[in-house]
Amino acid sequence: MDSTQRFSTRVEAYVKYRPGYPAAMLDFLAQQLAMGPEAHVADIGAGTGILTILLAPRVARVWAVEPNDEMRAAARRLLADVGNIGWSHGSAETTGLPAGSVDLVTVAQAFHWFDRAAFRQECQRLLRPDGRVALIWNDRLTDTPFLKAYEEGLHAYSGDYEEVNHRNLREHDFRAFFEGEYRLDRFENHQLFDLDGVLGRLNSSSYAPAVGTPAHEQMTALIRREFGCHAVGGRVSFNYSTLVYSGRVSA
């Protein structure tokens, strides 16, 4: 499937159940990557605007670039009252934004879908001198019995989980993308879910088994069983390490 279309049927679940980003990470962008109140930021692969809405109050302008029509439409509905967001239906490789127009490029949960060489060239075109790129993921941990079982279930019942997982990226991929040195910073993040929330979180993922398939029924049964064993007060925690790879990509 075209990677830009993988989430078309999962927009509602994505809006409701995907995690946000911790304030400490946004403070890092401001303090270490010069994302101050005068900054212009391009949020590439903006999806439903989960990061975009957090960036907007901190900067002068955010450009939300999202090629998927359904996800971009959802973002525009949710962020309709935010006045400093511009919208583009461009791709990571061809954003449609003016050259030299931004101080920072952010990418949340999406870099592993891109043509990395073409995206690097587009960043070089977009960024002002000394501009930076921040590649961001909420990396789901397996630090509880429930999360370990959830991860094992994805390996067992998702047809392409291992193929599309962002963890397939290695250090050489980041060295090739950034100009020389880059840094990796980590921030704690989590969500608390009841059972319906866990099932919604599953269905927000592009690699989740399709509803109505035997694999989805088996994964759902696993979740119900493990939730019954491990929930405390009717909730389980999804724990994340929010990863930020950042650096320059000057030509």
Side-chain angles (χ1 to χ4, degrees):
M1 182 186 296
D2 178 353
S3 63
T4 66
Q5 301 305 313
R6 289 183 66 100
F7 292 94
S8 294
T9 62
R10 302 183 186 270
V11 171
E12 182 179 356
Y14 205 101
V15 169
K16 291 177 67 175
Y17 299 111
R18 281 300 181 106
Y21 297 93
M25 186 206 79
L26 295 160
D27 292 341
F28 166 80
L29 298 181
Q31 296 162 8
Q32 301 298 323
L33 303 186
M35 193 189 77
E38 303 303 317
H40 287 224
V41 179
D43 188 24
I44 311 295
T48 60
I50 293 172
L51 177 60
T52 315
I53 197 170
L54 299 176
L55 298 173
R58 291 174 174 254
V59 301
R61 185 75 166 171
V62 183
W63 293 98
V65 180
E66 174 52 55
N68 182 284
D69 292 339
E70 290 82 4
M71 296 192 86
R72 190 176 64 258
R76 296 194 72 154
R77 287 193 297 271
L78 292 170
L79 281 61
D81 295 332
V82 183
N84 65 333
I85 299 177
W87 301 93
S88 171
H89 66 273
S91 67
E93 301 81 9
T94 309
T95 61
L97 303 183
S101 60
V102 301
D103 305 288
L104 176 67
V105 170
T106 59
V107 181
Q109 308 295 137
F111 178 70
H112 52 293
W113 300 113
F114 297 170
D115 178 325
R116 294 194 286 275
F119 174 57
R120 186 176 192 272
Q121 290 183 334
E122 182 68 349
C123 288
Q124 291 171 346
R125 190 185 70 82
L126 291 177
L127 285 166
R128 295 168 177 164
D130 203 37
R132 311 292 178 89
V133 179
L135 309 176
I136 303 164
W137 285 273
N138 277 316
D139 188 40
R140 179 171 34 78
L141 303 179
T142 56
D143 57 352
T144 68
F146 177 83
L147 291 174
K148 288 178 183 177
Y150 185 89
E151 178 76 7
E152 290 169 0
L154 291 175
H155 284 284
Y157 302 122
S158 169
D160 62 356
Y161 178 57
E162 296 182 25
E163 177 184 348
V164 303
N165 197 324
H166 72 267
R167 297 175 189 137
N168 291 332
L169 292 169
R170 297 290 183 262
E171 293 306 314
H172 66 81
D173 296 308
F174 297 109
R175 286 195 300 270
F177 179 75
F178 288 107
E179 174 200 1
E181 293 185 2
Y182 65 93
R183 60 186 290 173
L184 169 61
D185 294 86
R186 302 172 186 268
F187 307 87
E188 293 183 3
N189 201 10
H190 75 280
Q191 295 172 287
L192 286 175
F193 285 129
D194 60 13
L195 179 58
D196 287 342
V198 176
L199 296 174
R201 177 65 180 82
L202 170 69
N203 292 326
S204 75
S205 300
S206 71
Y207 48 72
V211 175
T213 63
H216 187 268
E217 293 175 3
Q218 291 169 308
M219 184 68 188
T220 298
L222 178 150
I223 287 172
R224 292 182 183 278
R225 181 177 68 249
E226 296 296 330
F227 187 91
C229 292
H230 300 297
V232 176
R235 297 281 193 274
V236 294
S237 181
F238 269 50
N239 301 325
Y240 305 93
S241 180
T242 302
L243 309 178
V244 182
Y245 291 84
S246 62
R248 297 182 180 87
V249 292
S250 301

